[in-house]
Amino acid sequence: MKKLFLLLSIMLTTIVLTACNANNLTDYEYIEQKGSFTLGYTDFPPMGYLDNGTPSGFDIEIATLVFERLGIELKFKYIDWDAKVVELDSKRIDSIWNGLTITDERKLEMTFSKPYFDNNLIIISKEGSNIDTISDLSDKNIGLELGSSADLSVGKNENILSISKEVKKYSTSSDAILALNAGLVDAVIVDEIYARYVVLKDTTNAYTISSEIIGTEQYGIGFRLGDETLKTKIDEALDALFEEGLIEPISIKYFGVNLFVR
């Protein structure tokens, strides 16, 4: 009986010590111990998207370079964008890295990397619609992605809310564009980066991008709130890759110019 009690005591102590050690790990040590890093993304080309079942895009390629340098396995998880913070906090993913706009609201929920991309919010509509400014949205149906920066911006824009007929929200920006092409909405408010990608890639439909900018924004990588060590490690890797000129060709591949900022 004494031997059994001693064995149980040793096992309990081991479990407690293991738990304590796990709790004392920094956020980066947690990734190192786990041996992998899971990047959360959704359908937002050209930043991140599925191409014949394979994760692709600007952010995907940049992240691949970063984790090759850090010597940690990189995994990808396609997520519901509206549930991104839940996915992050539950540790099903370790970052949201997919054209994520830095906002004051989001800073309350996650830790952001240094900004790496400048972007604008614009209106995209079908050619011939004569929609070029906010005032042209009078009595029009507007589409946008639920939980996106466009959603956050329009939600605070009393002018747009007061003059538009209805704001319809979709799971992805791609779905909003499909609604535009189907005539379900008259215009879509979206990131300029994505809008120009649509204009470039969609040879079936003709679009117009507004001259009026609804808002300016910056993209950053979102980590769990307080994951400062992990954020610093990835920022340092990005700094080095940028200085070595390894990011520029990837940006040119997707955008024709180097848009990565440091």
Side-chain angles (χ1 to χ4, degrees):
M1 182 63 72
K2 289 183 178 179
K3 288 183 178 179
L4 177 59
F5 179 76
L6 180 60
L7 180 60
L8 289 172
S9 297
I10 292 171
M11 290 175 62
L12 180 61
T13 301
T14 301
I15 292 170
V16 170
L17 288 174
T18 301
C20 289
N21 288 336
N23 290 334
N24 289 331
L25 292 176
T26 67
D27 43 272
Y28 186 67
E29 288 169 341
Y30 161 73
I31 296 299
E32 287 185 308
Q33 186 182 78
K34 188 172 65 155
S36 65
F37 178 97
T38 303
L39 180 153
Y41 74 105
T42 190
D43 182 32
F44 187 58
M47 307 308 286
Y49 56 96
L50 277 173
D51 184 11
N52 294 319
T54 302
S56 304
F58 176 80
D59 282 338
I60 300 294
E61 291 198 29
I62 298 300
T64 299
L65 280 183
V66 166
F67 284 93
E68 283 176 354
R69 175 151 300 196
L70 294 177
I72 295 172
E73 180 185 5
L74 178 60
K75 297 180 178 179
F76 303 98
K77 187 175 188 295
Y78 192 91
I79 62 172
D80 176 353
W81 195 246
D82 197 36
K84 56 187 175 293
V85 178
V86 174
E87 293 277 358
L88 189 62
D89 289 343
S90 65
K91 295 192 173 182
R92 289 192 288 270
I93 60 174
D94 298 306
S95 77
I96 306 161
W97 194 336
N98 193 197
L100 177 67
T101 302
I102 301 170
T103 67
D104 289 338
E105 293 91 343
R106 287 173 176 165
K107 285 179 180 178
L108 299 175
E109 300 177 309
M110 63 188 81
T111 292
F112 275 100
S113 69
K114 288 165 54 176
Y116 68 90
F117 222 99
D118 293 326
N119 187 45
N120 299 314
L121 279 177
I122 53 83
I123 307 164
I124 183 171
S125 57
K126 297 297 290 291
E127 192 174 83
S129 66
N130 297 317
I131 296 175
D132 187 55
T133 65
I134 288 176
S135 61
D136 296 327
L137 296 175
S138 178
D139 204 34
K140 296 291 194 298
N141 289 316
I142 302 168
L144 48 77
E145 180 183 326
L146 178 68
S148 67
S149 55
D151 189 5
L152 296 173
S153 179
V154 170
K156 295 183 290 187
N157 193 311
E158 293 297 332
N159 189 15
I160 294 176
L161 293 175
S162 63
I163 67 173
S164 61
K165 181 185 293 183
E166 184 180 1
V167 177
K168 299 183 178 182
K169 301 182 182 183
Y170 298 89
S171 296
T172 66
S173 295
S174 296
D175 288 340
I177 295 296
L178 288 175
L180 174 65
N181 291 330
L184 300 176
V185 296
D186 302 297
V188 172
I189 296 177
V190 72
D191 295 40
E192 184 176 3
I193 292 297
Y194 178 68
R196 296 201 177 280
Y197 175 83
V198 169
V199 171
L200 182 67
K201 294 296 182 180
D202 188 349
T203 56
T204 303
N205 298 284
Y207 303 95
T208 297
I209 291 176
S210 67
S211 61
E212 182 170 7
I213 294 171
I214 294 175
T216 59
E217 58 186 27
Q218 291 184 309
Y219 290 164
I221 307 160
F223 304 97
R224 278 179 286 278
L225 196 62
D227 278 10
E228 295 290 342
T229 306
L230 178 59
K231 169 243 179 191
T232 299
K233 286 283 187 181
I234 291 179
D235 270 340
E236 289 173 349
L238 286 169
D239 288 344
L241 290 166
F242 178 74
E243 289 296 326
E244 293 166 22
L246 297 176
I247 291 178
E248 183 174 357
I250 299 174
S251 181
I252 291 172
K253 171 184 172 180
Y254 284 97
F255 309 111
V257 293
N258 188 16
L259 296 178
F260 194 86
V261 297
R262 227 65 197 130

